[in-house]
Amino acid sequence: MAQVNDLSRSLTAFDPISTMVVVVEMSKASWLVSGVVPGVERQPLKKLEPDATALLRLIERWRNEAVRAGRPISRIALAYEAGRDGFWLARWLIARGIEAHVIHSASVAVSRERKRAKTDRLDAAMLMRVFLGWLRGERGHCGTVAIPTMEEEDARRPSRERESLVDERSRITNRMKSALARLGIRGFKPHLRKAPERLAGLQTAEGTGLPANIIEEFRRDMARLALVREQISSIEKTRAERLERAPDTGPHAMVRLLARVIGIGIETADMLVREILSRKLRDRRAVARYAGLTGSPDESGLKRREKGLAKAGNARVRRGLIQLAWRFLMFQKDSALAQWYRTRTEGPSGARKTTMIVALARKLLIALWRLVTTGEVPDGVELRPAA
């Protein structure tokens, strides 16, 4: 039975006589628009400035050409590849009655020639071929991306901003520790709040104080660290207030339920819900595939080998899940998933732990997905009392 959210093919019957198909090859400087217009023998191609209004005028002009040729248009299907422009154009076109789709770039097969020609014109023609196959309902041509609302996109920003701020904090701290190591100083923790007061008392391995320039540099770095800490704290405080205001609505209820699992904090729960668990994925395979926790087999004739993780999904979710899997083994030792992991890694013939932790992360993701969608608690998993 066809799934209602199957993005690998179109579930709407394709009528080439009354359907106008448009693809847009988008770049920073220009848009190359290609179309298949019923009743028009040529396949029109037009380069535009990055302007949505000009694109809409062009579509209307092609539609009028089809009407003059005796082919009234009942459906306009437009597609472009996912990229730096995001989803705003798709939402803008849908609001104006255009059926817009966003094609997953990695799902489009390209030539394997060593030196293949690549131009915007050739890319637009390739997009048209795969999009026509997708519209006909044939699998394997390309996959489309679910178009989020502006509210759904905005809800991901705090978690992503916090992640970048944590990376910035680590980068500054590591650079300061490296500078101190070159002077023979170890053990100093520049991220502590009282570190600026202790800076003047540091002694190098040669028995002298820190040079004047390095002290000034460190004071500027510590000021940036204080600002980063303040911004991280502000994000966490704002998120807690939002959860408190509407604890049982939409994704907030999922976050609170996940945070009840011992070993999962609010930050991890919020990231998982916003990035993957609140999406309408059709089954457990789609959940694991979106996170990039599926294998990439290489089989040809008698050759059989596994090239590792596909890594074609959400890298943020994948990194967070693998970290969570290690933490899960510490806090949920009596759970069925932890026992499954230990059974396969213990003993001299056990599998490598770093290999099996990925398998555990996949199983854990599917278990958490079932928890927030159906309320099924994984076997042996301990929950905190409901607030």
Side-chain angles (χ1 to χ4, degrees):
M1 180 180 297
Q3 301 291 330
V4 294
N5 56 352
D6 188 356
L7 298 178
S8 64
R9 58 180 177 140
S10 174
L11 301 180
T12 304
F14 177 58
D15 181 10
I17 297 177
S18 61
T19 303
M20 184 170 71
V21 183
V22 181
V23 297
V24 185
E25 175 64 23
M26 305 176 72
S27 66
K28 183 178 179 180
S30 64
W31 292 351
L32 186 63
V33 187
S34 176
V36 173
V37 183
V40 178
E41 184 176 354
R42 63 182 177 86
Q43 183 171 323
L45 192 69
K46 181 69 174 178
K47 179 172 284 190
L48 300 175
E49 296 292 328
D51 183 3
T53 305
L55 174 62
L56 191 60
R57 285 198 301 265
L58 177 64
I59 293 173
E60 286 299 322
R61 194 182 80 192
W62 289 349
R63 183 175 192 167
N64 293 334
E65 290 183 18
V67 172
R68 287 195 298 269
R71 298 289 180 84
I73 301 299
S74 61
R75 179 187 181 191
I76 301 176
L78 181 144
Y80 63 91
E81 279 188 295
R84 64 182 295 273
D85 285 278
F87 302 97
W88 72 267
L89 180 60
R91 291 193 294 262
W92 190 87
L93 290 169
I94 290 172
R96 285 154 179 79
I98 307 295
E99 179 186 332
H101 302 275
V102 181
I103 296 176
H104 196 301
S105 303
S107 69
V108 179
V110 298
S111 171
R112 294 186 295 175
E113 294 176 338
R114 184 170 176 269
K115 291 185 178 181
R116 67 179 182 93
K118 185 184 184 305
T119 65
D120 288 344
R121 183 183 294 268
L122 292 175
D123 288 346
M126 178 177 61
L127 273 183
M128 180 61 75
R129 287 195 300 272
V130 299
F131 187 46
L132 285 172
W134 186 89
L135 288 172
R136 289 193 297 267
E138 301 171 5
R139 295 185 183 275
H141 288 276
C142 67
T144 58
V145 183
I147 300 173
T149 64
M150 187 175 294
E151 291 74 19
E152 289 172 340
E153 281 197 292
D154 187 62
R156 301 172 191 164
R157 298 313 310 167
S159 177
R160 295 185 179 190
E161 182 187 4
R162 184 186 180 279
E163 182 181 10
S164 65
L165 288 172
V166 170
D167 291 342
E168 176 70 8
R169 182 179 63 186
S170 300
R171 186 183 64 83
I172 295 173
T173 303
N174 291 340
R175 188 178 69 238
M176 295 176 69
K177 287 182 177 180
S178 297
L180 290 172
R182 288 193 294 269
L183 298 175
I185 301 174
R186 299 181 183 275
F188 182 72
K189 299 179 180 179
H191 61 278
L192 297 180
R193 297 184 183 276
K194 293 186 178 181
E197 304 171 9
R198 302 171 182 170
L199 194 60
L202 289 178
Q203 295 286 323
T204 67
E206 299 167 277
T208 62
L210 295 180
N213 287 336
I214 219 170
I215 289 179
E216 293 299 322
E217 179 186 347
F218 278 11
R219 293 198 185 279
R220 289 189 290 269
D221 284 339
M222 288 178 178
R224 282 197 289 272
L225 275 177
L227 176 61
V228 169
R229 278 197 304 267
E230 181 183 349
Q231 291 176 340
I232 292 175
S233 177
S234 175
I235 292 172
E236 294 173 347
K237 181 180 178 181
T238 303
R239 181 178 53 214
E241 291 174 353
R242 288 174 179 168
L243 285 173
E244 193 68 27
R245 284 198 301 266
D248 300 321
T249 58
H252 289 178
M254 292 185 179
V255 173
R256 290 170 61 86
L257 178 58
L258 275 188
R260 288 184 56 197
V261 177
I262 296 177
I264 301 180
I266 287 291
E267 174 59 34
T268 302
D270 184 71
M271 183 274 293
L272 289 176
V273 169
R274 301 298 181 183
E275 295 288 346
I276 183 170
L277 297 181
S278 60
R279 301 173 68 92
K280 296 180 181 179
L281 298 170
R282 64 179 180 270
D283 54 25
R284 60 186 180 87
R285 290 184 178 86
V287 173
R289 185 165 56 248
Y290 180 80
L293 291 171
T294 55
S296 52
D298 183 12
E299 299 180 359
S300 178
L302 297 177
K303 181 177 69 173
R304 297 289 188 274
R305 71 186 182 99
E306 182 64 46
K307 294 187 292 185
L309 286 181
K311 294 186 178 181
N314 191 316
R316 186 174 288 103
V317 172
R318 185 167 57 254
R319 291 194 302 267
L321 274 171
I322 292 177
Q323 294 172 6
L324 175 60
W326 289 114
R327 194 161 66 244
F328 188 83
L329 293 174
M330 297 172 56
F331 289 93
Q332 299 285 353
K333 296 181 180 179
D334 297 329
S335 65
L337 287 175
Q339 294 174 7
W340 174 88
Y341 175 84
R342 288 196 296 269
T343 301
R344 282 157 178 78
T345 55
E346 289 178 348
S349 60
R352 289 182 58 187
K353 293 183 177 181
T354 53
T355 300
M356 293 305 298
I357 200 67
V358 177
L360 176 63
R362 175 191 170 102
K363 287 181 172 293
L364 179 59
L365 173 61
I366 294 171
L368 296 178
W369 173 67
R370 287 174 174 159
L371 172 64
V372 298
T373 54
T374 66
E376 177 187 349
V377 180
D379 292 340
V381 169
E382 297 182 15
L383 301 180
R384 300 183 181 93

mmCIF file of all heavy atoms in Angstrom, residues 103 179 233 270 289 315 326:
data_model
loop_
_atom_site.group_PDB
_atom_site.id
_atom_site.type_symbol
_atom_site.label_atom_id
_atom_site.label_comp_id
_atom_site.label_asym_id
_atom_site.label_seq_id
_atom_site.Cartn_x
_atom_site.Cartn_y
_atom_site.Cartn_z
ATOM 1 N N ILE A 103 14.086 18.969 -4.367
ATOM 2 C CA ILE A 103 14.744 17.692 -4.631
ATOM 3 C C ILE A 103 15.993 17.559 -3.758
ATOM 4 O O ILE A 103 16.790 18.501 -3.636
ATOM 5 C CB ILE A 103 15.130 17.583 -6.120
ATOM 6 C CG1 ILE A 103 13.862 17.574 -6.986
ATOM 7 C CG2 ILE A 103 15.947 16.332 -6.390
ATOM 8 C CD1 ILE A 103 14.147 17.575 -8.474
ATOM 9 N N ALA A 179 48.679 27.911 23.823
ATOM 10 C CA ALA A 179 49.624 29.006 24.043
ATOM 11 C C ALA A 179 50.344 28.847 25.384
ATOM 12 O O ALA A 179 51.553 29.123 25.495
ATOM 13 C CB ALA A 179 48.891 30.342 23.974
ATOM 14 N N SER A 233 23.840 30.497 28.293
ATOM 15 C CA SER A 233 22.910 30.524 29.414
ATOM 16 C C SER A 233 21.580 31.157 29.025
ATOM 17 O O SER A 233 20.509 30.702 29.445
ATOM 18 C CB SER A 233 23.543 31.290 30.578
ATOM 19 O OG SER A 233 22.643 31.398 31.663
ATOM 20 N N ASP A 270 15.706 18.089 23.204
ATOM 21 C CA ASP A 270 15.248 19.156 22.317
ATOM 22 C C ASP A 270 15.838 19.000 20.923
ATOM 23 O O ASP A 270 15.140 19.161 19.912
ATOM 24 C CB ASP A 270 15.633 20.520 22.908
ATOM 25 C CG ASP A 270 15.098 21.668 22.097
ATOM 26 O OD1 ASP A 270 13.871 21.898 22.113
ATOM 27 O OD2 ASP A 270 15.902 22.351 21.423
ATOM 28 N N ARG A 289 17.425 6.094 8.254
ATOM 29 C CA ARG A 289 18.033 6.640 7.043
ATOM 30 C C ARG A 289 18.204 8.148 7.147
ATOM 31 O O ARG A 289 19.205 8.698 6.687
ATOM 32 C CB ARG A 289 17.174 6.258 5.839
ATOM 33 C CG ARG A 289 17.761 6.671 4.499
ATOM 34 C CD ARG A 289 17.080 5.963 3.357
ATOM 35 N NE ARG A 289 15.636 6.188 3.358
ATOM 36 C CZ ARG A 289 14.735 5.242 3.603
ATOM 37 N NH1 ARG A 289 15.114 4.013 3.871
ATOM 38 N NH2 ARG A 289 13.447 5.513 3.579
ATOM 39 N N ALA A 315 23.778 15.088 9.969
ATOM 40 C CA ALA A 315 25.021 14.852 10.716
ATOM 41 C C ALA A 315 24.882 15.254 12.171
ATOM 42 O O ALA A 315 25.478 14.628 13.062
ATOM 43 C CB ALA A 315 26.174 15.617 10.060
ATOM 44 N N TRP A 326 26.728 6.007 24.026
ATOM 45 C CA TRP A 326 27.726 5.740 25.074
ATOM 46 C C TRP A 326 27.166 6.112 26.449
ATOM 47 O O TRP A 326 27.382 5.394 27.436
ATOM 48 C CB TRP A 326 28.997 6.538 24.803
ATOM 49 C CG TRP A 326 29.810 6.061 23.642
ATOM 50 C CD1 TRP A 326 30.050 6.720 22.476
ATOM 51 C CD2 TRP A 326 30.514 4.819 23.539
ATOM 52 N NE1 TRP A 326 30.845 5.975 21.648
ATOM 53 C CE2 TRP A 326 31.166 4.806 22.273
ATOM 54 C CE3 TRP A 326 30.681 3.725 24.383
ATOM 55 C CZ2 TRP A 326 31.931 3.742 21.837
ATOM 56 C CZ3 TRP A 326 31.454 2.664 23.947
ATOM 57 C CH2 TRP A 326 32.071 2.678 22.692
#
